[in-house]
Amino acid sequence: VNVVAILQEFWESKQKQKAVFPSEGTVVYESLSSLGPPFVSYVTLPGGSCFGNFQNCLSRAEARRDAAKVALINSLFNELPCRRITKDFIMESIREAVSSTSGNFKDADDPSTSIGAYHYMLESNIGKTMLEFQELMIIFQLLHWNGSLKALRETKCSRQEVISYYSQYSLDERMRSHMALDWITKEQESPGIISQELQVALRELEEARKAGQELRFYKEKKEILSLALSQIYSDQATSFSQDDQMGLALHGY
């Protein structure tokens, strides 16, 4: 069975049915550079959901097939009625959230609470599948990890306002660049923090991949932190180059 071709055909058929995500795109594969096995491959679906091979693969082609198999299973599972956000699904999700946080069910009607904000987000996305809803949730997970949500709360923005604002955006290069700049600021305040966070993100990504889980949150963290580090090193290299040029000029070259 050519699972790579089946996965591609599945998403092409959804595109023809106009049942694709707002951020339309193709199925994208990415293989990590490695001199030898085990090889690692990621596959990103339209909408941004990311999966990887969870088996030890002896070739890049095998890793790609294994990643495609995980992505196909999740794509098919996402089509089931139980994966679509309905009134019943929302009530069950709120019950689980209240139980796991020892919260109060009455909080669901108050958008200023965490459970209320979650309820508001689910209600705003009724009719969508969980993979579609997850695209929005990833943005808020990253904003929480990045410290942006805390900063917004300090400016007296309500959760409802924040949700309404960021619900209009998709996770793109511009948003990643803004988050990378935030981490560069953190690095100036606490040298070494980016490297520490990157090690955590890489470990989380590896553990989630081997468990066959959805990977986008961990992969986005890695990309944002790597972008911040590359920018810092680029600035340092430019600074050193300018110093060298000044030194040569002063010595009469």
Side-chain angles (χ1 to χ4, degrees), residues 121-132:
M121 291 177 71
L122 286 170
E123 287 283 356
S124 301
N125 290 272
I126 197 164
K128 294 184 178 180
T129 66
M130 284 308 297
L131 282 185
E132 290 174 301

Side-chain angles (χ1 to χ4, degrees), residues 192-205:
I193 191 172
I194 293 180
S195 295
Q196 294 172 11
E197 282 288 329
L198 183 57
Q199 289 301 315
V200 172
L202 290 171
R203 185 172 64 251
E204 291 174 338
L205 178 61

Side-chain angles (χ1 to χ4, degrees), residues 7-62:
L7 180 64
Q8 184 65 38
E9 290 171 4
F10 173 86
W11 283 99
E12 285 179 354
S13 67
K14 286 185 70 67
Q15 192 169 21
K16 291 176 182 177
Q17 298 166 10
K18 304 298 182 183
V20 291
F21 291 83
S23 53
E24 293 182 14
T26 57
V27 177
V28 178
Y29 292 89
E30 174 189 353
S31 296
L32 295 188
S33 57
S34 176
L35 297 177
F39 291 97
V40 175
S41 181
Y42 299 114
V43 55
T44 301
L45 303 176
S49 294
C50 181
F51 300 92
N53 60 298
F54 67 92
Q55 297 180 340
N56 286 334
C57 299
L58 301 180
S59 69
R60 289 184 176 85
E62 183 186 357

